[in-house]
Amino acid sequence: MPRKLLLPYRSVFSHPRAPRGLYDSLAMNAARSGYRVFSANSTAACTELAKKITERLGAELGKSVVYQETNGETRVEIKESVRGQDVFIIQTIPRDVNTAVMELLIMAYALRTSCAKNIIGVIPYFPYSKQSKMRKRGSIVCKLLASMLAKAGLTHIITMDLHQKEIQGFFSFPVDNLRASPFLLQYIQEEIPDYRNAVIVAKSPDAAKRAQSYAERLRLGLAVIHGEAQCTEQDMDDGRHSPPTVKNTTLHTGLELPFMMAKEKPPITVVGDVGGRIAIIVDDIIDDVESFVAAAEILKERGAYKIFIMATHGLLSADAPRLIEESSIDEVVVTNTVPHEVQKLQCPKIKTVDISLILSEAIRRIHNGESMAYLFRNITMDD
């Protein structure tokens, strides 16, 4: 007589006295056991976001060792089996960008050679995103990085508020570009008293679409600062003047190209009324803060009595904390996509909004094969 094939848990949970929710709970845990979450950072400050995400998921951070050898090389060791599993690598980008990129590449390749089923990179702030256009005889470094990540073994990326949405086209695999605006909008409504008397400000015409999105959702007015002293990204040479003009070059006699007039910035002006109101400047990245400080001075001159800055990625490089502390800016609100605890100690005006909730939900949905549409509710092309 052939032996019966026993199915695990079936006989136990088919018992009439078995709690109904217990089988569902164990089944859910069994489904979740098919993924692992790792942090690719070698510095403790950069692993805080990864710990928050795993706490929300009810999972443990994967066992791995990431460190720099004495000769400067990066070494990664995976300390547990990942065969046939979905693996999520959480990589926050500290000031040492290039080291973080190498850590991510080496860990992805290590997981690939360890037979992981899918390797998903969770990169809240995508590095080199400002270098997504050709500059003179430079290169589009963001596209190069996308190719390197694919070659290392990544099959999917979760990121947040890419500097240019077109960057998604550089990748040969899916990219989920999440938005931090719901968390920043919630902060405005809950933490800024009398926010109904505020006006959303774009510090340049380039940021007007983002500012308009905030203004329409909060039912507030919109103002745009026009005529910045420095050149914007669109005004820089992008290589279209190549080859360079040479004085002794002889042109074809019948070739007469129309003359392109040079741009001239108008005097700095504010389009919109900010007098007696709270000014809220919104942007995706706050790095070198000179332009934000200059915008705050202009808004103060126009009568704004409080000035807030809201941004997704708080890089806050160089002397940013000192400049913010000495400026007329009242508060700078950023998310924790980039570690900035040191800057917060230097400047109490810097506040942090936690976005680990949306990242953990994205991880859960991708692993379970659920739709990501819920995370993009009411998100338009301009957002």
Side-chain angles (χ1 to χ4, degrees), residues 21-35:
L22 187 57
Y23 180 76
D24 295 334
S25 175
L26 282 179
M28 185 178 296
N29 289 335
R32 285 186 176 182
S33 65
Y35 76 90

Side-chain angles (χ1 to χ4, degrees), residues 203-372:
K203 72 178 181 67
S204 69
D206 300 333
K209 283 187 177 181
R210 182 183 299 272
Q212 181 182 357
S213 173
Y214 276 71
E216 290 175 352
R217 282 172 166 77
L218 293 169
R219 279 66 172 173
L220 299 176
L222 176 67
V224 180
I225 299 176
H226 183 49
E228 290 179 302
Q230 71 275 9
C231 294
T232 60
E233 291 183 20
Q234 282 74 10
D235 297 330
M236 298 179 183
D237 285 339
D238 58 2
R240 294 185 176 89
H241 300 294
S242 181
T245 55
V246 181
K247 292 183 179 179
N248 297 329
T249 301
T250 304
L251 295 178
H252 191 277
T253 54
L255 183 62
E256 293 184 4
L257 296 176
F259 178 72
M260 174 62 75
M261 297 179 63
K263 288 184 178 181
E264 184 177 343
K265 290 276 185 183
I268 294 179
T269 183
V270 179
V271 181
D273 182 23
V274 297
R277 296 189 178 186
I278 301 171
I280 303 175
I281 304 174
V282 297
D283 214 334
D284 62 329
I285 299 173
I286 176 168
D287 190 0
D288 297 324
V289 299
E290 285 84 356
S291 59
F292 290 93
V293 172
E297 294 298 331
I298 294 295
L299 294 172
K300 275 290 186 183
E301 292 175 5
R302 298 298 191 275
Y305 71 92
K306 274 190 178 181
I307 298 169
F308 291 81
I309 295 176
M310 317 288 293
T312 304
H313 310 296
L315 304 186
L316 303 169
S317 303
D319 293 332
R322 179 182 61 81
L323 294 174
I324 293 171
E325 186 66 27
E326 297 173 356
S327 71
S328 54
I329 299 171
D330 291 279
E331 198 168 279
V332 174
V333 183
V334 293
T335 70
N336 56 345
T337 56
V338 178
H340 51 266
E341 294 303 319
V342 175
Q343 291 89 329
K344 286 180 68 174
L345 294 175
Q346 297 171 349
C347 177
K349 292 182 179 180
I350 301 172
K351 309 296 180 183
T352 306
V353 175
D354 181 27
I355 44 82
S356 62
L357 175 62
I358 191 170
L359 293 175
S360 59
E361 180 64 12
I363 290 174
R364 189 192 67 81
R365 286 176 175 271
I366 288 174
H367 171 64
N368 292 333
E370 299 177 20
S371 171
M372 296 287 285

Side-chain angles (χ1 to χ4, degrees), residues 33-34 36 80-87 111 113-118:
S33 65
R36 292 288 185 272
E80 60 182 284
S81 175
V82 295
R83 182 178 295 273
Q85 297 184 347
D86 293 335
V87 180
L111 293 168
T113 54
S114 299
C115 300
K117 181 181 178 182
N118 294 304

